[in-house]
Amino acid sequence: IERPIGLTHVLWRLWAKQRWEPVDAWLRRYSPAAVWDAALPGRSCLDVALKRLTRAEGAKLQGKCFVSLFADLTQFYEHVDHFKLREEALRLEFPGQHLGLALQVYSAPRYIDVEGVLCPPVNPGKGIVAGCPLALVLAKVPLYSTLEQLSSLPKVTNIDSWIDDISVHCLSSLPAEAAFHAVRAYRLLREGLHAQGLLLSVEKTVFVASDPKTEASLKGFLVSGEPRVVPVTKDLGVDSSGGRRRRTVQQQKRMTAGGARSGRVGSLRLPEGTRLKVVRSSVVTVATWGHQAQGVCPTQQKWLRRLGSSDFSLAMCHRTVADPAIELVTQHLRSVLPV
């Protein structure tokens, strides 16, 4: 399915930004109650992924049985029902003027232009426009009641949501108990989302268990059509395995992507100073994103130096460049210490 880009009018974007204070005040009231919501200013998806990994490995060290449910919604923005969004937003005391104007923007006739061909106007009853300044804030509303119910379930020790990416963690001393409550949480989540007109992705929603006994119990509770139990999954860009093993599949892919980008930069024949800036801002960033979850081995550090950092500086003796090893350690500490 091709997802068209929604461009809202500049006047609406300016109006929303100039009158952001009521929305900001609502977020300050909302955040203490919605402890599961991690998509807040000053946070990144990597912070959320690292906290999930830390919880899994902490449970492993304590000898506890741990089950993680990683849920992803299918075309989340497109399935948000306008009527249900309005009812839930009013219940949560979202600023009425902002809500009313946003819903008018979302439900206004839409025109899709494909290769110069303009379709007839479409009057939607669903969908949040990604180009709207309020989109990320209103996306929190349809999930609130369901996640609030989940947070009160026994053995559910933590819930995280990053827009449409939801994780539920169940902890217990008994494998069967952790598995039972994880499946129960999944079914409640599925029913709550269905009531809002939202759908869970069958392919991307998975369970990860901390040990073989818990995994076997989990498979015993699940029925046909429910999520798979996998040994490792991709969670917000990093590998997550419930503390059972450490995999570097995603990290190796990023190193490969960084190497390919380095080759393209080299073919441009840029001045050396410009090349160094591009390498540091683009190539190294792509190659090392998410390294805080696994670390960077000495071989990879040596490769990063050859891209145009400390080794180049020493060879040419005319430019001071920071050692990437120091930057990697600094980034690691900045991410891990708050966790």
Side-chain angles (χ1 to χ4, degrees):
I1 297 177
E2 294 187 8
R3 180 176 298 177
I5 299 173
L7 299 177
T8 54
H9 198 280
V10 65
L11 291 179
W12 162 243
R13 296 200 299 273
L14 287 173
W15 185 92
K17 290 296 184 182
Q18 290 296 322
R19 292 163 176 79
W20 190 256
E21 180 55 35
V23 178
D24 193 49
W26 180 83
L27 282 172
R28 289 194 297 269
R29 297 194 305 270
Y30 159 89
S31 298
V35 293
W36 55 81
D37 188 5
L40 296 172
R43 299 184 188 178
S44 70
C45 62
L46 182 59
D47 297 331
V48 182
L50 291 175
K51 288 183 179 180
R52 293 174 181 176
L53 289 173
T54 303
R55 291 189 187 96
E57 297 200 8
K60 186 75 172 179
L61 290 174
Q62 295 172 5
K64 300 288 187 178
C65 300
F66 187 80
V67 178
S68 296
L69 167 64
F70 297 102
D72 191 56
L73 277 67
T74 299
Q75 299 171 359
F76 173 50
Y77 273 22
E78 288 81 354
H79 281 90
V80 174
D81 184 274
H82 293 166
F83 176 79
K84 294 178 180 178
L85 174 63
R86 183 189 65 185
E87 295 299 311
E88 186 70 7
L90 291 176
R91 187 181 72 83
L92 295 175
E93 299 181 350
F94 191 87
Q97 187 178 25
H98 293 70
L99 174 65
L101 290 175
L103 287 175
Q104 290 182 50
V105 171
Y106 298 161
S107 59
R110 300 183 187 178
Y111 299 85
I112 301 177
D113 184 1
V114 180
E115 297 181 356
V117 178
L118 193 66
C119 79
V122 178
N123 296 289
K126 293 182 178 182
I128 293 177
V129 180
C132 173
L134 295 176
L136 285 175
V137 181
L138 287 174
K140 304 174 186 294
V141 173
L143 303 178
Y144 183 89
S145 59
T146 302
L147 297 184
E148 184 181 35
Q149 293 179 44
L150 278 179
S151 64
S152 63
L153 291 180
K155 303 302 178 182
V156 173
T157 57
N158 189 75
I159 302 173
D160 287 318
S161 69
W162 183 265
I163 308 176
D164 64 339
D165 190 294
I166 303 169
S167 70
V168 181
H169 307 285
C170 295
L171 183 68
S172 175
S173 301
L174 302 175
E177 188 176 41
F180 171 79
H181 287 287
V183 174
R184 181 187 178 190
Y186 160 73
R187 291 169 181 167
L188 178 61
L189 176 64
R190 180 188 60 191
E191 292 170 3
L193 294 177
H194 181 73
Q196 291 290 331
L198 305 174
L199 301 175
L200 284 174
S201 172
V202 178
E203 296 181 356
K204 295 181 180 180
T205 301
V206 296
F207 287 99
V208 176
S210 61
D211 57 86
K213 289 184 179 180
T214 306
E215 182 176 335
S217 299
L218 196 56
K219 291 179 179 178
F221 287 118
L222 293 170
V223 298
S224 178
E226 292 187 326
R228 300 167 293 136
V229 182
V230 297
V232 63
T233 187
K234 180 181 177 182
D235 174 36
L236 294 175
V238 301
D239 291 305
S240 180
S241 60
R244 295 172 69 175
R245 59 179 68 93
R246 291 189 177 182
R247 298 270 307 269
T248 58
V249 176
Q250 299 302 323
Q251 188 175 7
Q252 292 295 340
K253 289 181 179 179
R254 290 198 183 89
M255 284 291 176
T256 302
R261 185 169 292 194
S262 176
R264 292 195 295 271
V265 172
S267 66
L268 297 177
R269 298 182 180 180
L270 299 172
E272 206 57 54
T274 304
R275 186 184 74 84
L276 282 173
K277 292 180 181 179
V278 173
V279 165
R280 287 170 57 79
S281 63
S282 177
V283 177
V284 175
T285 302
V286 169
T288 61
W289 192 93
H291 70 86
Q292 295 91 330
Q294 305 291 350
V296 180
C297 68
T299 303
Q300 292 173 339
Q301 289 188 28
K302 187 175 181 180
W303 176 76
L304 290 171
R305 282 172 167 168
R306 287 203 306 268
L307 287 178
S309 194
S310 56
D311 284 358
F312 174 82
S313 179
L314 292 172
M316 302 302 292
C317 298
H318 78 291
R319 184 181 295 274
T320 301
V321 183
D323 188 339
I326 297 176
E327 293 188 20
L328 293 175
V329 171
T330 303
Q331 292 173 0
H332 190 91
L333 290 174
R334 285 175 179 171
S335 297
V336 174
L337 287 179
V339 174

